[in-house]
Amino acid sequence: QVQLVESGGGLVQAGVSLRLSCATSTRTFSNYAVGWFRQAPGKEREFVAALNWSAGSTYYADSVKGRFTISRDNAKTTVYLQMSSLKPEDTAVYYCAADYLGWGSQSERDYTYWGQGTQVTVSS
């Protein structure tokens, strides 16, 4: 199994940057796709970004293209989500998820392992 822990959320003003981290202490992400999803109050969980670790490929939702960047560390234990030009509509709980041998799907149903989430609140 893969245990995931998100961190880095907080309350920020619109236009500010914030970096989220998704860390695993049980094993590396070498054979996984790692995705970021978010869920705002009263709304369905939606795809944000994903990374195919072995290929290094990245994928983004249209709503965050050009503003968010997903990346990885050399130890293969952490995935980051760098968020820039934050907007109030980015307010949500952000979740990290892992998909064994995944390619970087946009569907949450393809991901087996999930973190507990970290709250991001963007004020206008």
Side-chain angles (χ1 to χ4, degrees), residues 2-4 13 20-21 32 36 39-40 45 48-49 58-59 67 71 75-76 85 88 90 93 111-112 114 117-118:
V2 177
Q3 296 180 353
L4 307 175
Q13 290 282 340
L20 305 183
S21 298
Y32 293 81
W36 284 97
Q39 186 168 26
R45 186 150 53 196
V48 176
T58 58
Y59 309 89
R67 298 191 299 121
S71 61
K76 305 175 183 178
S85 301
D90 294 319
V93 176
Y111 293 83
T112 303
W114 293 81
T118 185

Side-chain angles (χ1 to χ4, degrees), residues 4 6 20 22 33-40 44-51 61 64 68 70 81 83 90 92-99 104-120:
L4 307 175
E6 303 98 332
L20 305 183
C22 172
V34 180
W36 284 97
F37 295 80
R38 66 186 182 186
Q39 186 168 26
E44 296 182 348
R45 186 150 53 196
E46 65 176 351
F47 171 80
V48 176
L51 180 150
V64 305
F68 290 11
I70 188 170
L81 184 67
M83 305 182 294
D90 294 319
V93 176
Y94 283 71
Y95 296 91
C96 177
D99 176 19
S105 174
Q106 297 184 18
S107 175
E108 65 179 278
R109 288 172 289 184
D110 291 329
Y111 293 83
T112 303
Y113 307 101
W114 293 81
Q116 85 290 344
T118 185
Q119 177 71 49
V120 173

Side-chain angles (χ1 to χ4, degrees), residues 7-85:
S7 62
L11 173 62
V12 298
Q13 290 282 340
V16 170
S17 296
L18 197 63
R19 189 179 77 165
L20 305 183
S21 298
C22 172
T24 178
S25 60
T26 56
R27 62 185 68 192
T28 70
F29 287 122
S30 296
N31 298 316
Y32 293 81
V34 180
W36 284 97
F37 295 80
R38 66 186 182 186
Q39 186 168 26
K43 301 185 67 176
E44 296 182 348
R45 186 150 53 196
E46 65 176 351
F47 171 80
V48 176
L51 180 150
N52 180 312
W53 201 285
S54 60
S57 303
T58 58
Y59 309 89
Y60 298 94
D62 289 340
S63 60
V64 305
K65 285 182 179 178
R67 298 191 299 121
F68 290 11
T69 301
I70 188 170
S71 61
R72 60 188 182 181
D73 74 333
N74 292 329
K76 305 175 183 178
T77 57
T78 306
V79 172
Y80 303 99
L81 184 67
Q82 179 67 45
M83 305 182 294
S84 300
S85 301

